[in-house]
Amino acid sequence: MTSASELRSGKGDRDENFPVASWIIHPRHRALILAYYNFVRTADDIADHATLPPDQKLAYLDLLEAELLGKGDTQAEAVILRRALAERGMAPRHALDVLIAFRMDVTKLRYENWDEVIHYCRYSAMPVGRFMLDVHGESTSTWAASDALCAGLQINNHLQDCGKDFRELNRVYLPRDALAAHGASVEQLGLSQSPPAMLACLQALAVRNEALLDEGRALAAEIRDFRLGVDVAVIQAYADRIVRLLKVRDPLRERVHLNKFELLIFSLAGMIGEAGRRAIGRKAISRPGTAHDA
């Protein structure tokens, strides 16, 4: 079988809300984090491949899983991650979880309600945060806030790319019940501008996602590791800015991603804010949140 890395879909520059291998993170963790990142990106590219039939996509994802678990050495990303995890004595659970989401991307093109979207995020996004916390030896008590932040990042991305996902992959993460409640239709995602019903739906989902992001706001303060705490504060600053854009802009017509200047400004704001909070010992306000599946 062809190596999975040869199936990279050629997406070019990615608009991502998960800066997993941030330069803020301590160098001793970067090789493992990059191994995880490359494994996840390869699996993502398989799921999103433009011409590969669904059964072959699933076969490649199964092969990645098998080799991650030690059954073969033909897929470089799986082998490198397997060895990196073994060096740290870590289990592959967070990599196995994301494979569940990528299989869903192959087989599930529509979501009925918010709970189904959160279930998808449980496997597509939450394992990324949990992996980062485990790499740094953080307590599992941080998972609830991390899950909320990571799900919020994922849903930001779903809203940002809703038109592209529909046009290129016929994949719609907007809940059907939300579309119906506003009188919007899936087909409107193929337009160059949202009709009023679709725009109202998108902006209502952004408001709901803003509340989800608020549930994760305590995460940076819950993390012991200084560098990771600062990194999370930067990610939170990005997410807050993006969701504010999504509340007032039309993602079918307008840019709702951060430009380089905004990335710099919100990076500095996040770093200064979290470093200052830690310097004076002020605790972030914990917000009650929805418990997520552990």
Side-chain angles (χ1 to χ4, degrees), residues 64-73 78 82:
L64 283 177
E65 176 173 318
E67 298 208 357
L68 178 64
L69 296 174
K71 303 169 186 174
D73 296 297
R82 183 180 80 212

Side-chain angles (χ1 to χ4, degrees), residues 90 115 219 249 257 272:
M90 290 179 62
D115 286 345
L219 178 59
R249 292 187 184 177
H257 295 84
I272 292 169

